[in-house]
Amino acid sequence: MKYSKTLSIILFITMLKTAGVAQLVGPFDNYPVYTGKDLGVKYTPAKTVFKVWAPKASAVTLRLYDAGDGGGALSTINMVKGNKGVWKTVVDKDIKNKYYTFQVMQEGKRLLESPDIYAKAVGVNGKRGMVVDLASTNPKNWRNDKKPALKNFTDIIIYELHMRDISVDPNSGIQHKGKYLGLAETGTKSPDGEATGLDHIKELGVTHVHLLPCFDFNSVDETKPAAGQYNWGYDPLNYNVPEGSYSSDPYDGNVRIKEFKKMVQTLHQNGLRVILDVVYNHTSDIDHANFSQFAPGYFYRHNPDGSYSNATGCGNEVASEMPMARKFMIESVVYWAKEYHLDGFRFDLMGVHDIKTMNMISDTLHKIDPTIFVYGEGWTAGNSPMPEALRAVKKNVSKLHEQAVFSDDLRDGLKGGWGDLKEKGFVSGNTKMDESVKFGIVASIPNPQVNYDLVNYDKGPWASEPYETITYASCHDDNTLFDRLKISNPNAPEAELIKMDKLANAVVLTSQGISFLHSGAELLRTKQGVANSFNKPDSINQIDWSRKTKYKAVFAYYKGLIALRKNHPAFRMPFAKMINERLKFVNTGVPGLICYQISNHANGDKWKNILVILNGNKANQALKLPGGVWTIAADENTINEAGIKTVAAGNIDIASTSAYVLYSK
């Protein structure tokens, strides 16, 4: 029987009192809610307890195996149903490293054998769970693992990377290419002697590494490591298990856990915090998903006709508002935070999730560690039956508790709209983007000097505080920044494209909010014009480390901008009130020429006054300076906080397509 048929008969819409908004209510509302925190597999040498939530099952069978794939079951155990839809059994002996599956009988039909949704270790390709002694997977001195210090969220500078991209280039000098251990290697160099991998990231100076999905995903066959398979990993299989293809041995469920922890520990030791990209908004395959083997239909949203809703563009969307789905999401991130010492979570298509769930996630994480950073995409990929007023979309960010969303206003203001690759942005001379850039500079907060009527997307502020805005020019999605600029400026020589690229991230790194960089942007990364490269080969996706030598001056410029931001708290003010008091735009009278002054030792900065001048025009522009003596700390080529030169009040010539930073003491 198709569950959508059942739903089409009994699903209906009613009015809920919550927020006074219409919401979907369906047949799953009468499912029991289990509040215990012991679902899954709990191991001790004396016994292992198995508990799963399968509220409508007529029987649940546990099978134990010697291996993660192949071979017959060592034993078959019928589980016992208890309260609130929970089935339980206990094996009273040491079964460490044995593998297992559950199989549910429901409505006279046997569902698929699968791990439980809480599985913490699995065999190859994640088809069987593994009984794991987590303490034995800890690297040496794991208990003493110490996170790098973090005072304010606005101090964060994020570097988004893909586990395979960062190391798989033959010229990376990294031994464990495409692996967790590859990111944990130090002392690696390109053939030209330039630092690569972890040492490169450390040299660049960012504060946080954002890992594209590293939980166990569905699209890469872990039995074929030599096949060079590639995926970004936005197709979840086992949410609480590291992906096996990034480990040195995907067959042994312990190895991926040990190596992931070793990577986190090494990143922490090198001054970098670690963020995991999480994808709770959908699963890769409804029929085969673990969710569907224990409570078919429950974990997904449905349209009024009973069909699966699809706000993710992936064929389904997880119903985060359902109590057991909400419970799972909260307990999953808590597990990653505690067991793997993670420092943040980036939520894919966060706009699919309901506000209540996201706030419960944030509040729970911040009780564990108030410096854990939570952010995500404040949009969806399609329409959802859940009303927008209840979802964690960008316009509702002020209702969220200490969470941030990406500013597509600034992103597309800088380089041009995502829907029209030929459209130019501010850095390519489009003067119609000035207000969008100004909106980004003040981190999307209310500001009297921004003309919201001229902002590209949002016609009003959506952030209440600067830590709610991720300021960026590019990420893994769509074309790299350098490729995008080439597409929209097909006749521009490379030297001009480089100036545009540098200006774009100069804006990002001098703006308020939280800075975000796509890995390799500092090397003018190219994916050869391929935008959605989620399943393309390494030849498209890998970071080409020879570009660090070829574009050494660009790397030095990015590195200098990051140091400038870190050394000067005026660029990372923590409160909207402070920004509006200390940051004032100067009317240049020239379209495409943005100037603002940050005054009076803002946020405790050692520089009394800072002047930032952004020239998106293709021609040099003259600007009259405020009175006094000013020191140029950054121009189109150089970042030098000690001063490139000093200039007195009067006109200053600002080079085309460039950013200047000046200060007075």
Side-chain angles (χ1 to χ4, degrees):
M1 178 183 228
K2 294 287 186 183
Y3 307 111
S4 58
K5 275 188 180 179
T6 304
L7 285 165
S8 65
I9 298 171
I10 61 178
L11 189 70
F12 61 95
I13 299 176
T14 188
M15 293 296 295
L16 290 186
K17 298 295 184 182
T18 307
V21 182
Q23 204 176 12
L24 286 178
V25 176
F28 305 111
D29 290 346
N30 62 2
Y31 274 40
V33 176
Y34 181 67
T35 58
K37 295 185 178 181
D38 57 351
L39 291 176
V41 179
K42 307 296 180 184
Y43 164 83
T44 66
K47 65 180 181 180
T48 298
V49 180
F50 297 83
K51 276 189 173 184
V52 295
W53 184 74
K56 299 299 180 180
S58 57
V60 179
T61 303
L62 168 69
R63 292 183 176 87
L64 298 178
Y65 295 88
D66 258 335
D69 67 335
L74 299 173
S75 59
T76 300
I77 302 167
N78 294 322
M79 300 181 73
V80 177
K81 187 173 185 178
N83 294 327
K84 303 295 184 180
V86 173
W87 295 73
K88 176 182 176 180
T89 195
V90 179
V91 177
D92 290 311
K93 61 180 180 179
D94 192 343
I95 56 170
K96 177 181 175 180
N97 297 336
K98 297 299 182 184
Y99 293 83
Y100 66 86
T101 63
F102 298 97
Q103 189 170 33
V104 166
M105 173 76 80
Q106 183 161 315
E107 296 184 354
K109 176 183 177 182
R110 289 193 180 276
L111 304 184
L112 302 176
E113 283 191 62
S114 74
D116 56 304
I117 66 174
Y118 282 89
K120 295 177 173 62
V122 297
V124 68
N125 283 330
K127 301 303 182 185
R128 293 176 183 169
M130 191 189 83
V131 178
V132 63
D133 175 13
L134 286 167
S136 70
T137 66
N138 293 341
K140 186 178 180 180
N141 295 321
W142 183 241
R143 284 189 175 185
N144 298 320
D145 177 50
K146 188 177 181 181
K147 302 181 177 199
L150 179 68
K151 182 180 179 182
N152 296 309
F153 289 142
T154 48
D155 297 336
I156 293 171
I157 304 172
I158 298 169
Y159 189 80
E160 181 204 49
L161 64 84
H162 182 276
M163 189 59 59
R164 193 171 174 90
D165 296 354
I166 198 73
S167 58
V168 78
D169 177 15
N171 291 323
S172 70
I174 294 171
Q175 179 183 353
H176 298 93
K177 289 180 171 58
K179 307 296 183 182
Y180 300 123
L181 292 181
L183 188 55
E185 289 182 37
T186 57
T188 62
K189 295 186 182 297
S190 70
D192 300 316
E194 296 290 348
T196 62
L198 171 53
D199 283 2
H200 167 84
I201 300 168
K202 185 177 179 180
E203 180 186 7
L204 187 61
V206 297
T207 66
H208 287 58
V209 168
H210 163 157
L211 306 174
L212 263 67
C214 289
F215 51 74
D216 191 39
F217 53 82
N218 196 39
S219 48
V220 170
D221 186 348
E222 297 169 3
T223 68
K224 300 176 180 178
Q229 304 162 86
Y230 187 94
N231 206 279
W232 283 341
Y234 291 97
D235 53 335
L237 184 61
N238 292 290
Y239 281 102
N240 291 338
V241 184
E243 163 62 17
S245 66
Y246 298 150
S247 74
S248 62
D249 182 2
Y251 288 88
D252 183 344
N254 294 287
V255 173
R256 62 183 76 189
I257 300 174
K258 291 177 180 177
E259 292 177 351
F260 192 102
K261 288 179 176 177
K262 180 62 177 176
M263 173 191 66
V264 172
Q265 182 184 51
T266 305
L267 289 166
H268 282 171
Q269 290 169 346
N270 284 272
L272 291 159
R273 286 182 165 235
V274 185
I275 294 167
L276 182 63
D277 199 326
V278 290
V279 190
Y280 297 108
N281 59 75
H282 73 280
T283 59
S284 61
D285 180 341
I286 293 176
D287 291 339
H288 295 87
N290 294 339
F291 283 157
S292 296
Q293 309 318 313
F294 295 90
Y298 176 90
F299 289 94
Y300 299 97
R301 286 199 193 120
H302 304 265
N303 296 312
D305 65 358
S307 60
Y308 290 105
S309 55
N310 187 25
T312 65
C314 298
N316 63 84
E317 59 182 291
V318 170
S320 59
E321 70 280 7
M322 297 301 289
M324 294 301 288
R326 176 179 287 153
K327 172 183 170 67
F328 174 77
M329 289 173 63
I330 295 169
E331 292 180 354
S332 179
V333 293
V334 165
Y335 172 71
W336 281 103
K338 288 184 173 181
E339 186 65 33
Y340 291 94
H341 299 184
L342 293 182
D343 310 293
F345 297 91
R346 179 268 194 190
F347 282 77
D348 183 61
L349 293 181
M350 191 169 77
V352 170
H353 300 315
D354 67 289
I355 292 170
K356 182 178 179 180
T357 296
M358 286 308 306
N359 282 342
M360 291 176 71
I361 286 171
S362 181
D363 293 346
T364 305
L365 287 172
H366 290 141
K367 286 178 183 176
I368 298 168
D369 177 1
T371 68
I372 290 175
F373 184 50
V374 180
Y375 66 108
E377 294 177 298
W379 46 72
T380 66
N383 295 324
S384 173
M386 169 165 276
E388 186 179 67
L390 299 180
R391 290 188 282 110
V393 293
K394 185 173 64 169
K395 66 190 295 184
N396 294 332
V397 72
S398 61
K399 300 177 184 177
L400 299 174
H401 299 172
E402 293 188 293
Q403 296 164 65
V405 298
F406 288 88
S407 174
D408 53 343
D409 308 273
L410 177 62
R411 180 197 69 198
D412 292 359
L414 289 170
K415 65 183 183 183
W418 65 272
D420 180 2
L421 296 183
K422 295 181 180 180
E423 183 183 47
K424 298 179 187 299
F426 173 82
V427 302
S428 304
N430 184 351
T431 58
K432 294 180 180 179
M433 295 294 192
D434 291 8
E435 294 302 313
S436 300
V437 174
K438 288 168 62 180
F439 183 48
I441 288 167
V442 297
S444 322
I445 63 169
N447 184 276
Q449 290 186 285
V450 174
N451 184 346
Y452 296 103
D453 291 338
L454 299 180
V455 173
N456 49 3
Y457 299 144
D458 289 278
K459 304 307 178 185
W462 45 262
S464 56
E465 295 292 352
Y467 63 73
E468 296 170 349
T469 295
I470 303 292
T471 302
Y472 77 126
S474 61
C475 67
H476 69 278
D477 278 324
D478 302 317
N479 292 106
T480 68
L481 175 60
F482 197 58
D483 283 350
R484 175 65 170 79
L485 294 171
K486 283 192 282 188
I487 292 168
S488 57
N489 300 274
N491 299 317
E494 184 176 81
E496 289 299 314
L497 295 172
I498 290 173
K499 292 177 69 174
M500 295 175 199
D501 181 284
K502 289 162 60 179
L503 175 56
N505 275 316
V507 175
V508 168
L509 289 163
T510 54
S511 291
Q512 304 301 315
I514 293 158
S515 297
F516 176 105
L517 297 172
H518 181 214
S519 56
E522 71 282 7
L523 312 179
L524 303 178
R525 182 178 182 177
T526 178
K527 291 192 290 185
Q528 301 174 40
V530 177
N532 196 22
S533 64
F534 74 98
N535 61 354
K536 297 298 184 289
D538 293 330
S539 58
I540 298 295
N541 284 293
Q542 68 191 8
I543 291 179
D544 176 0
W545 288 104
S546 70
R547 294 175 76 86
K548 188 172 182 181
T549 302
K550 183 176 181 179
Y551 299 111
K552 188 65 179 290
V554 176
F555 171 75
Y557 187 82
Y558 272 75
K559 178 182 175 181
L561 283 170
I562 290 169
L564 182 71
R565 182 176 186 85
K566 291 172 73 174
N567 291 339
H568 293 280
F571 295 118
R572 39 192 174 86
M573 290 184 267
F575 304 115
K577 185 174 185 293
M578 185 184 296
I579 293 172
N580 284 332
E581 287 176 349
R582 302 298 180 90
L583 189 155
K584 303 295 181 185
F585 289 102
V586 176
N587 184 7
T588 67
V590 179
L593 184 66
I594 296 173
C595 176
Y596 62 93
Q597 182 170 322
I598 307 175
S599 303
N600 298 323
H601 299 287
N603 199 25
D605 204 295
K606 64 184 178 182
W607 289 344
K608 181 178 181 181
N609 298 311
I610 300 173
L611 202 64
V612 178
I613 308 168
L614 308 168
N615 184 12
N617 291 286
K618 296 182 181 295
N620 291 11
Q621 299 292 330
L623 180 70
K624 182 175 177 57
L625 292 174
V629 176
W630 293 86
T631 300
I632 300 176
D635 62 14
E636 70 274 25
N637 297 314
T638 306
I639 313 292
N640 184 351
E641 292 182 44
I644 297 169
K645 66 178 180 179
T646 58
V647 289
N651 283 346
I652 182 174
D653 192 47
I654 305 299
S656 62
T657 319
S658 69
Y660 279 48
V661 178
L662 298 82
Y663 66 88
S664 66
K665 294 183 177 180

